[in-house]
Amino acid sequence: VERTLSIIKPDATRRNLTGKINARFEDAGLRIVAQKRLQLTREQAEKFYAVHAERSFFNDLCTFMTSGPVVVQVLEGEGAVLRNREIMGATNPANAAPGTIRADFAESVEANSVHGSDSPENAANEIAFFFSQIEIL
Ligand code: ATP
Ligand code: MG
């Protein structure tokens, strides 16, 4: 089965939405097979989002992602990468379909409550960034 990396972002942990967001994943048939709450360092945030290093929003994004605790998790299920992207909704909550996490919870295009890997290949790299094999079960 497929796995994807999910991050519940600081805007969501601050508003105590971890359980409500996890219920969305579980109700959709995704299994949380690893999970931890942590504070990203600036260095970790910059490395995790390195693909966006040249974008205008990169600096603000790294500041936001280090503004409070995040919950990093591995979700498992059939087509988990795409399935999770559907559950999350569009990056900008103004464009997110009703019933998606971002439509229902996100504050802005930056503070959009969740991250999800965008391909199985990136998922494998992002999972390895946060978890060792023995932490996933
Ligand atoms: P994520 O990678 O977090 O799952 P995504 O794949 O939908 O989101 P990306 O294009 O990868 O979107 O952007 C990564 C993150 O950068 C977004 O989730 C958002 O927090 C932030 N971001 C993207 N575009 C903008 C923007 N125009 N202004 C501010 N922040 C942005
Ligand atoms: Mg992305």
Side-chain angles (χ1 to χ4, degrees):
V1 277
E2 195 167 279
R3 288 173 174 172
T4 190
L5 184 88
S6 166
I7 304 178
I8 301 178
K9 296 184 178 183
D11 66 287
T13 62
R14 179 169 43 76
R15 288 176 289 147
N16 219 18
L17 293 170
T18 298
K20 283 199 172 95
I21 289 172
N22 278 348
R24 301 291 180 102
F25 300 141
E26 293 186 338
D27 289 349
L30 293 175
R31 185 174 296 274
I32 302 164
V33 293
Q35 176 164 257
K36 54 191 170 191
R37 181 172 166 108
L38 53 87
Q39 171 75 46
L40 287 176
T41 65
R42 183 90 198 174
E43 192 178 21
Q44 281 177 310
E46 288 176 356
K47 198 171 165 199
F48 184 79
Y49 279 118
V51 62
H52 296 307
E54 304 307 319
R55 307 287 289 275
S56 58
F57 58 79
F58 178 70
N59 201 51
D60 287 348
L61 175 61
C62 292
T63 299
F64 164 64
M65 289 299 290
T66 56
S67 67
V70 297
V71 176
V72 295
Q73 47 195 186
V74 180
L75 307 180
E76 184 179 272
E78 203 179 312
V81 170
L82 262 177
R83 189 85 193 86
N84 185 38
R85 302 280 298 182
E86 289 169 2
I87 297 164
M88 287 167 31
T91 308
N92 186 339
N95 303 327
T100 60
I101 292 171
R102 283 165 168 169
D104 291 347
F105 299 128
E107 295 181 319
S108 67
V109 65
E110 175 180 89
N112 61 1
S113 302
V114 282
H115 163 84
S117 308
D118 59 13
S119 70
E121 187 191 357
N122 285 341
N125 291 331
E126 292 180 1
I127 289 168
F129 186 89
F130 287 111
F131 295 97
S132 63
Q133 278 306 323
I134 56 165
E135 293 179 299
I136 305 170
L137 71 175

